[in-house]
Amino acid sequence: MTDAVSDSAAGDAPPDRRARPQLTILLAGPRGFCAGVDRAILIVEKALEKFGAPVYVRHEIVHNRFVVESLEAKGAVFVKEVEDAPVDRPIVFSAHGVPKSVPDEARQRNMIYVDATCPLVSKVHREVERHHAQGRTIVLVGHAGHPEVEGTMGQLPPGSILLVEKPADVETLEVAPGAPLAYATQTTLSVDEAEASISALKRRFPDIAGPKQEDICYATTNRQASMRAVARRSDAVLVLGAPNSSNSNRLVDVAKDEGVDNALLIQRAAEIDWSRLRGVATLGLSAGASAPEVLVDEVIEACRARFDVTVEEEVTAVETIEFKLPRALVV
Ligand code: SF4
């Protein structure tokens, strides 16, 4: 930390150009959109091209207001449930995945639907189905109420999946002695916290089956690793993301874990409390998997108005993954 920043520099009013204190912005790489979010947005855009507006979307396609509003401007209409959309318009299901009852309802209403569930979430759906078919009770490590968790639990009849949010929950799990068990995880958890819950499961149920490969997706893992590297060099951290975005919240947790108490989740540059950047020499900056790069640029520009900014990037992985579009939308 440095004390070189004046009150006005870190306050609301941009300081005189000559008086601007120096600030290094350390960008986490990778950050922002993942392949699943890219695909989900493209699915809505392609559906609008193919079917014309309006196209209905069940829930936020991804957890980001900016993305949702941009798609609304193009003709997408966001609804809570399938029944809120008219039967004669197509409906898209969000990247987080949906319970089986959702496409069932669309079919019953004779609606055209397109599933934008991320293929890495669909992989977890197939995994829990396979364990269920083999007679196992499934323990899902995840956050209650998150749409991905509701979608995964909704792949099987009620009671087939038990939810564990933290290691302590493992001790109170009620399972019949000797019942075959398997576990799966939400794709956007903190790698470290998920590992703690999985270790607790393996301790209590040594025979529990698990995925061959980690369920936490590559994008979550990579963003957390880059945030860790950035946080180690930063006085403060900003993460762009929505309050209901699991992977974005986990990036803030990782920064705090690395000792950066001044780590905040923001949705837009306008939310920055400049007084929190008083005395900050290096600001770590990242974005959750559903936050577009334009919002990162917006933060950098807002900083430039108050500081003499140098931008550096800390790249810990290079991502090349792309997912195919559903066949129905490929022209
Ligand atoms: Fe898919 Fe991971 Fe992106 Fe979620 S965060 S949409 S699981 S790639």
Side-chain angles (χ1 to χ4, degrees):
M1 288 276 239
T2 170
D3 291 319
V5 182
S6 69
D7 280 5
S8 63
D12 280 342
D16 180 277
R17 180 173 272 281
R18 285 158 304 177
R20 281 178 200 175
Q22 292 192 338
L23 178 72
T24 299
I25 296 181
L26 195 52
L27 288 172
R31 63 183 172 278
F33 279 6
C34 58
V37 164
D38 258 339
R39 174 178 179 269
I41 294 168
L42 198 57
I43 284 175
V44 178
E45 289 172 346
K46 290 278 180 196
L48 281 162
E49 262 175 45
K50 178 165 178 171
F51 302 108
V55 163
Y56 285 74
V57 183
R58 183 186 177 273
H59 292 187
E60 289 186 328
I61 184 78
V62 299
H63 281 152
N64 189 275
R65 264 334 286 166
F66 183 87
V67 171
V68 166
E69 283 165 15
S70 311
L71 291 172
E72 276 173 342
K74 293 177 184 172
V77 178
F78 290 83
V79 290
K80 216 163 162 251
E81 294 304 337
V82 171
E83 65 182 17
D84 301 326
V87 291
D88 59 349
R89 294 305 307 162
I91 188 160
V92 178
F93 304 143
S94 82
H96 310 102
V98 290
K100 275 205 159 61
S101 57
V102 170
D104 285 352
E105 188 184 350
R107 272 192 294 271
Q108 272 161 21
R109 299 179 86 215
N110 279 324
M111 293 172 77
I112 296 173
Y113 67 85
V114 189
D115 190 353
T117 302
C118 174
L120 299 181
V121 175
S122 300
K123 179 180 138 275
V124 179
H125 291 180
R126 301 295 79 79
E127 227 170 79
V128 297
E129 279 182 326
R130 184 171 53 81
H131 286 306
H132 181 66
Q134 290 168 350
R136 297 188 176 108
T137 298
I138 293 114
V139 181
L140 180 65
V141 183
H143 295 294
H146 190 278
E148 183 186 325
V149 166
E150 287 175 356
T152 302
M153 294 186 83
Q155 299 305 303
L156 299 178
S160 312
I161 301 184
L162 307 170
L163 186 64
V164 156
E165 291 194 271
K166 51 189 184 310
D169 296 344
V170 173
E171 305 316 319
T172 53
L173 268 183
E174 287 181 23
V175 279
L181 292 176
Y183 73 86
T185 75
Q186 189 179 333
T187 57
T188 51
L189 297 179
S190 145
V191 174
D192 293 344
E193 279 175 30
E195 266 172 22
S197 294
I198 292 166
S199 300
L201 280 168
K202 286 181 175 167
R203 262 196 310 275
R204 185 168 166 205
F205 309 107
D207 295 332
I208 194 166
K212 283 197 197 82
Q213 250 196 324
E214 192 56 76
D215 289 326
I216 296 177
C217 78
Y218 80 97
T220 300
T221 310
N222 286 349
R223 277 151 195 70
Q224 286 176 20
S226 66
M227 173 46 78
R228 211 169 275 288
V230 160
R232 283 180 191 143
R233 296 175 54 196
S234 301
D235 305 314
V237 159
L238 291 176
V239 175
L240 282 153
N244 55 350
S245 161
S246 173
N247 79 87
S248 306
N249 278 294
R250 299 298 76 78
L251 293 179
V252 175
D253 293 345
V254 166
K256 289 189 173 166
D257 220 44
E258 285 299 326
V260 184
D261 294 333
N262 194 4
L264 291 171
L265 184 70
I266 54 165
Q267 300 197 72
R268 298 292 294 258
E271 287 178 15
I272 298 173
D273 175 355
W274 295 102
S275 68
R276 305 245 343 203
L277 299 192
R278 192 172 295 147
V280 167
T282 303
L283 173 67
L285 182 59
S286 187
S290 41
E293 185 68 5
V294 65
L295 301 184
V296 173
D297 295 340
E298 189 184 82
V299 168
I300 295 172
E301 284 317 303
C303 289
R304 282 195 204 283
R306 291 166 174 81
F307 297 90
D308 179 6
V309 169
T310 307
V311 179
E312 268 184 52
E313 196 170 16
E314 174 85 48
V315 179
T316 53
V318 175
E319 294 176 344
T320 52
I321 291 181
E322 278 179 36
F323 295 130
K324 287 185 189 148
L325 288 177
R327 222 171 296 151
L329 292 178
V330 179
V331 273

